[in-house]
Amino acid sequence: MIKDKIADYWNWRSTSYHQEYMSRITDEIEFWERIFTPIIPAGKHLNVIEVGTGPGILALALAKMGHTVTGIDLSPEMVKKAQANAEKLGITAAFREGDAENLDLDAGSADLIISKYLMWTLPHPDAFLNGANKILTPGGQIIAVDGVWYTDTQDHTTPNKPYSEFFDECYEEVRPNLPLGKNNTPEKVVSLITGHGFSDSTWRYLDDYQAFLKSIDIGETTVTPYIVSAKKSC
C-alpha cells in the first residue's frame, strides 16, 4: 500500500531527518515563534494540532508560546523523535501516531491546524483539508509550510545524499499518486485550500528561514519554503 511505503521511508529517515540542525534547535524554535507571532491571534490560548509533525519543531514552538499542542505523524519513529525533543527541551506537548487524511479528532476541537512539508506528501490532500475544516472551530486557522521540491523540469533529490536511493525505492510507486508531488507552488496550494471552505488566505516566501537553514547547512538546501495561512469560513 502507498501509505505503508510512505511510513517505511519516514520511519527510516527519522534517525537522520533534520539532524544537521539539531545543534541549533533552540534557535529554530525561537525563529518559528517570531514567524507565528504576527499571524496567529494574539492574547489567546489555542488548541493546536500539528499534522505531519516530524521532529516536532513547530509543535514545540507553539507550545513554548503557551498553547496546547498535539503533534501527529504517520511515522511512529518520527513521533518518538518529537517526544524525545520535547523531553530534552522541557517543553510540554503531546505527540501520537495518526493519518493526515483520516484525522481522528472531534469536530470543532482545534483552533489552529498547522503543517510543515506535509502537503506534497499526501496522496489525497483533499481528504486532509476536508478533515481540517471539520476539526477547526468557526474562524479557526490553517497554516501550511511547504516548498516546490519537485517540478516538471527539475528533480531536487541530490544523488549523493545517503537517503536518495531508499527514497527512490519507496517513492517509485508513490510519487505518481501525489497530486502536489510536483509543481506545488504557493498559488496552487492557496487555490486548493480556499476551495475547501477557507478564506482570508495569505502567503509569503520564507527567505528568512532559508537564510537560517543555510547558516547551519553546507549549502544543499536550494528550495525556498513558503508559508500559507487561511481561516475557516464562519
Side-chain angles (χ1 to χ4, degrees):
M1 292 178 60
I2 287 176
K3 289 289 180 69
D4 292 334
K5 290 182 178 293
I6 293 173
D8 285 346
Y9 176 74
W10 292 107
N11 279 329
W12 180 78
R13 277 284 277 131
S14 66
T15 57
S16 60
Y17 183 74
H18 212 67
Q19 196 61 38
E20 62 268 43
Y21 309 118
M22 284 298 103
S23 64
R24 296 276 300 279
I25 187 172
T26 301
D27 294 335
E28 185 171 8
I29 287 171
E30 290 175 354
F31 172 89
W32 285 109
E33 288 183 77
R34 293 192 296 272
I35 290 292
F36 294 144
T37 296
I39 61 175
I40 64 175
K44 291 185 178 181
H45 178 275
L46 303 180
N47 289 320
V48 181
I49 307 296
E50 186 190 9
V51 184
T53 192
I57 305 300
L58 301 195
L60 295 174
L62 287 158
K64 188 168 175 280
M65 293 171 72
H67 304 296
T68 298
V69 185
T70 299
I72 296 173
D73 204 283
L74 185 66
S75 161
E77 295 303 319
M78 282 293 194
V79 170
K80 291 177 184 177
K81 185 167 187 173
Q83 289 171 331
N85 285 333
E87 291 170 6
K88 177 182 177 181
L89 296 171
I91 299 174
T92 300
F95 297 96
R96 66 174 179 84
E97 293 177 49
D99 184 345
E101 297 178 355
N102 187 24
L103 293 169
D104 183 20
L105 296 164
D106 293 335
S109 60
D111 303 301
L112 169 63
I113 290 179
I114 192 164
S115 67
K116 180 171 179 272
Y117 304 164
L118 171 75
M119 296 286 286
W120 79 270
T121 71
L122 298 178
H124 307 99
D126 293 301
F128 164 61
L129 292 171
N130 286 335
N133 188 288
K134 176 183 176 182
I135 292 160
L136 282 168
T137 56
Q141 190 173 14
I142 187 168
I143 296 175
V145 177
D146 219 310
V148 186
W149 310 108
Y150 305 98
T151 69
D152 287 331
T153 58
Q154 185 175 7
D155 187 331
H156 292 289
T157 302
T158 305
N160 64 356
K161 287 189 176 181
Y163 53 80
S164 294
E165 184 176 346
F166 191 57
F167 175 87
D168 291 340
E169 179 184 333
C170 289
Y171 271 76
E172 183 178 3
E173 295 180 35
V174 173
R175 281 179 63 180
N177 294 286
L178 305 180
L180 297 175
K182 284 188 176 182
N183 304 315
N184 61 323
T185 63
E187 294 89 350
K188 188 174 182 178
V189 171
V190 166
S191 178
L192 187 63
I193 288 175
T194 55
H196 286 78
F198 294 92
S199 59
D200 299 332
S201 61
T202 62
W203 72 270
R204 74 173 179 91
Y205 282 111
L206 291 170
D207 300 280
D208 40 357
Y209 187 50
Q210 175 75 334
F212 172 79
L213 295 178
K214 285 190 172 182
S215 73
I216 303 168
D217 203 353
I218 58 174
E220 293 182 348
T221 306
T222 58
V223 175
T224 301
Y226 56 81
I227 186 168
V228 174
S229 174
K231 292 183 179 180
K232 176 179 175 177
S233 300
C234 296

